[in-house]
Amino acid sequence: MTRAKPEDDEYWNSSKFKAFTFDDEDDEFSQLKESKRAVNSILVDEDEDEDDVERVSWSGEPVGSISWSVKETASSIRSGSEQSFPKIDTTPSLSKQGSGYSLSSLFKAKSKPGAFQSFSESFSDTSFRTYAPELRKPKSDGKDFVSDLSPEETVRRMQKGRPFSLEKFRSLQDKLLLLDEAVAVYDGNVITAVLIFLKKSLSKEILFRELMARDVALRHYVHYLKEMGEQKLLVELLKALGRTEDMALMHYKEHLNIKDEGRRRDFLKSCLSLPFSQDDATHVQDHYTLLERQIIIEASDKKADAEIFKKFPRKASILNMPIITTLYYSCFYHYGESEGTFSSPSNIRKTFRISEKQYILTALGARAKLKSWFDVDSLFNTKNWLGYTKKKSPIGFHRVVDILHKNSAPVQVLQEYVNLIDDPDLKLSGALKYKCHDVVINTYRDLKDRQQLIVYREKLERDSPEYRKIQELLNNVVRGREPLLLSHFLIHSVV
């Protein structure tokens, strides 16, 4: 038989195909496969982002397998510092040199100018050596550390502003222990945070029942609901606690959120049946009645064409105004109407039980604003049992003078009411303040004070009526017509 040519030997040694041999190599491969399975059985799965990518060597075997590791070790011993690029080994024998480069090592290794990094260098680099995948720390380690804390430790972390979790407290007993721990530290922020958690995780009935036995937590919860504007839930809580009056008041406060006057009136009407205290019930009734009156007056005055509305156009609506503002409006636009009309000042005064002092102050301001001095006089005119007319005021005439002066009342009107002041000092100070010369002169005359008359005369214009009046009084003293005043003058002169 002819000997095979050298080209044939090279072909069989370099090709990926191998000539048929009778050597039994199954034992060697079976051992390698068993070792591979043994190693893979103890490995920990790597991250999800690395599960889909399998690293293989140039020989087609996965990097990290036992056969790859053995070949890497053998090749490093045999090849030494060889710089040439290794050939692909087609034989399964371990005695032959295997590839020293993997896909990952090619991408990770540092390159030198003009040549690849040698296998020995890459093998000696521990950062790129891979004998088997690392056993990584499970992702869940440390993740549940915060959730493993006791109620006391959780509250302490909340106080210090450290991370915490309330979701682990699932049973009612654990949640109540957490609430009790929060109350025990007297920290309002912690208590409120726990109450918010309980509000989300417990039913209203259970939460209300447990808060009844915890006054501190209950007060915090009520304050929290008020601040957050949760009126409906607050009403339910107060009702469950048996605080019916507080519940009624909280329900009544909801009218502030209603903008439409008709709907607000209907809501106030529905509040009349709530269990208010006696004083509160009267207040709610008056509020409903007032709004009902204002709606009627507003609708009527919008279409009114009376002279006063043309001379003094309305600047704002009367709706939702206080009772005193409504009375002022009525005294300004509807003064003198019969008591049977809703807009009559006397009807409003009687319906809402307005005191005489408050009524006089309001009506005086409205009528003085219109310069209706006759109506001003009628507010103070009274008749005694003999039929004589006399002016009387429940607020003091010095206050009447102040209001009249603010509304630019003429001097004659001011003098009339300054003269009605009982206290001499108040009368004199008022007359000096508002320049009521006749009142000042008559007061000094009554006091028989010649010195003050002379001083005051110098403040007046010459030949004015007031100047001549003072001069006449002084001349009468010299002629002896006023002996008391003369004696008073002589006393002052001697002194």
Side-chain angles (χ1 to χ4, degrees):
M1 186 175 180
T2 60
R3 182 179 178 84
K5 295 181 180 180
E7 291 81 7
D8 296 336
D9 294 336
E10 183 179 357
Y11 170 78
W12 290 111
N13 290 330
S14 61
S15 174
K16 62 181 180 179
F17 300 99
K18 184 180 178 185
F20 177 78
T21 62
F22 289 95
D23 296 334
D24 188 6
E25 297 176 348
D26 294 339
D27 293 337
E28 185 180 3
F29 280 111
S30 62
Q31 291 177 3
L32 292 175
K33 292 180 179 179
E34 289 178 2
S35 300
K36 177 181 178 181
R37 284 195 297 268
V39 173
N40 291 336
S41 64
I42 64 173
L43 296 180
V44 179
D45 294 339
E46 294 193 2
D47 292 341
E48 295 177 359
D49 57 352
E50 296 180 5
D51 289 345
D52 297 337
V53 179
E54 184 179 18
R55 295 184 295 178
V56 297
S57 67
W58 287 105
S59 61
E61 295 179 6
V63 174
S65 64
I66 188 65
S67 61
W68 178 85
S69 301
V70 172
K71 288 183 179 181
E72 290 284 312
T73 305
S75 63
S76 65
I77 294 173
R78 294 182 180 182
S79 62
S81 60
E82 185 179 353
Q83 297 290 336
S84 61
F85 193 86
K87 296 181 179 181
I88 300 176
D89 187 11
T90 58
T91 62
S93 174
L94 292 176
S95 61
K96 299 245 179 154
Q97 180 181 352
S99 173
Y101 290 88
S102 66
L103 289 175
S104 59
S105 65
L106 285 175
F107 285 106
K108 292 182 179 179
K110 299 179 181 178
S111 61
K112 294 182 180 180
F116 284 99
Q117 189 181 26
S118 67
F119 174 74
S120 59
E121 290 175 346
S122 62
F123 184 81
S124 63
D125 189 358
T126 56
S127 62
F128 302 122
R129 292 170 60 188
T130 306
Y131 294 100
E134 294 183 1
L135 295 176
R136 298 194 175 185
K137 190 176 182 180
K139 293 181 180 180
S140 60
D141 287 0
K143 182 177 66 176
D144 297 331
F145 171 72
V146 176
S147 62
D148 293 337
L149 300 176
S150 65
E152 183 179 358
E153 294 171 337
T154 301
V155 170
R156 191 180 300 113
R157 292 179 72 89
M158 294 172 69
Q159 279 187 298
K160 295 180 179 179
R162 301 176 63 187
F164 64 91
S165 175
L166 303 180
E167 301 301 327
K168 69 174 289 289
F169 301 99
R170 298 185 178 182
S171 66
L172 177 60
Q173 182 180 1
D174 290 342
K175 293 175 181 178
L176 295 180
L177 286 175
L178 180 65
L179 178 60
D180 293 337
E181 287 293 337
V183 173
V185 298
Y186 298 100
D187 191 322
N189 293 332
V190 176
I191 296 173
T192 303
V194 174
L195 288 172
I196 294 174
F197 168 67
L198 297 182
K199 176 176 175 287
K200 295 178 180 178
S201 58
L202 293 177
S203 64
K204 293 183 295 184
E205 293 75 12
I206 296 176
L207 180 59
F208 293 168
R209 182 191 67 199
E210 298 299 334
L211 289 178
M212 289 180 187
R214 296 168 173 81
D215 291 338
V216 176
L218 177 61
R219 290 197 297 270
H220 278 79
Y221 191 59
V222 170
H223 180 73
Y224 166 75
L225 294 180
K226 288 181 179 179
E227 290 295 322
M228 299 303 295
E230 300 189 30
Q231 299 291 342
K232 292 184 178 180
L233 186 58
L234 183 57
V235 168
E236 293 180 15
L237 173 60
L238 295 175
K239 186 176 181 180
L241 296 174
R243 296 163 57 176
T244 55
E245 292 184 5
D246 294 338
M247 179 271 294
L249 288 175
M250 292 307 302
H251 182 71
Y252 165 72
K253 285 183 63 176
E254 292 184 17
H255 80 272
L256 298 174
N257 301 323
I258 303 175
K259 303 301 181 183
D260 182 71
E261 287 75 16
R263 291 181 55 241
R264 179 179 290 192
R265 177 195 58 195
D266 297 338
F267 177 82
L268 291 174
K269 186 176 182 180
S270 67
C271 292
L272 298 177
S273 58
L274 294 177
F276 293 103
S277 63
Q278 184 175 358
D279 293 340
D280 292 336
T282 303
H283 170 78
V284 175
Q285 178 66 56
D286 289 345
H287 190 179
Y288 166 71
T289 304
L290 177 61
L291 182 57
E292 188 178 35
R293 294 277 184 95
Q294 289 174 343
I295 292 175
I296 296 173
I297 296 172
E298 180 70 15
S300 176
D301 289 355
K302 275 185 176 180
K303 301 178 294 183
D305 57 352
E307 184 64 26
I308 189 171
F309 290 101
K310 296 178 181 179
K311 189 175 181 179
F312 301 97
R314 300 190 318 151
K315 296 181 179 180
S317 171
I318 193 62
L319 296 174
N320 299 314
M321 292 297 177
I323 179 61
I324 298 302
T325 305
T326 305
L327 177 62
Y328 182 92
Y329 177 91
S330 178
C331 291
F332 195 92
Y333 289 105
H334 300 280
Y335 195 80
E337 291 184 1
S338 62
E339 189 175 338
T341 59
F342 286 146
S343 57
S344 169
S346 56
N347 186 302
I348 294 176
R349 175 186 177 184
K350 181 179 180 180
T351 302
F352 298 101
R353 303 169 301 281
I354 298 175
S355 65
E356 181 184 9
K357 182 183 294 187
Q358 188 65 67
Y359 176 78
I360 292 294
L361 281 172
T362 306
L364 175 62
R367 303 318 294 174
K369 185 74 174 178
L370 292 171
K371 307 292 189 294
S372 181
W373 311 121
F374 177 81
D375 293 336
V376 170
D377 288 340
S378 65
L379 290 172
F380 305 105
N381 288 335
T382 58
K383 290 184 179 181
N384 58 14
W385 62 279
L386 294 176
Y388 293 104
T389 301
K390 182 181 179 181
K391 284 184 170 59
K392 183 179 179 181
S393 172
I395 60 176
F397 283 107
H398 63 284
R399 295 186 64 185
V400 175
V401 173
D402 291 338
I403 295 173
L404 293 175
H405 175 73
K406 290 178 181 178
N407 288 279
S408 304
V411 176
Q412 294 79 5
V413 176
L414 288 175
Q415 288 186 157
E416 179 181 359
Y417 285 95
V418 167
N419 274 323
L420 296 174
I421 299 174
D422 295 330
D423 189 304
D425 294 334
L426 287 177
K427 178 190 292 187
L428 183 59
S429 63
L432 290 171
K433 180 179 179 180
Y434 303 122
K435 297 181 179 181
C436 299
H437 303 303
D438 288 343
V439 178
V440 173
I441 294 171
N442 293 336
T443 302
Y444 286 147
R445 183 198 62 189
D446 295 339
L447 293 174
K448 297 179 174 48
D449 195 336
R450 189 177 191 283
Q451 187 74 23
Q452 291 296 333
L453 281 173
I454 296 174
V455 172
Y456 193 72
R457 183 188 62 179
E458 302 302 324
K459 298 178 181 180
L460 301 175
E461 295 181 2
R462 286 185 175 274
D463 297 330
S464 64
E466 294 80 12
Y467 185 92
R468 290 196 300 268
K469 183 176 182 179
I470 293 176
Q471 189 64 37
E472 184 179 351
L473 286 173
L474 294 176
N475 292 336
N476 289 338
V477 170
V478 175
R479 294 171 186 169
R481 296 182 182 179
E482 295 288 345
L484 293 178
L485 186 59
L486 179 60
S487 62
H488 184 76
F489 169 72
L490 292 175
I491 293 174
H492 276 282
S493 300
V494 172
V495 174

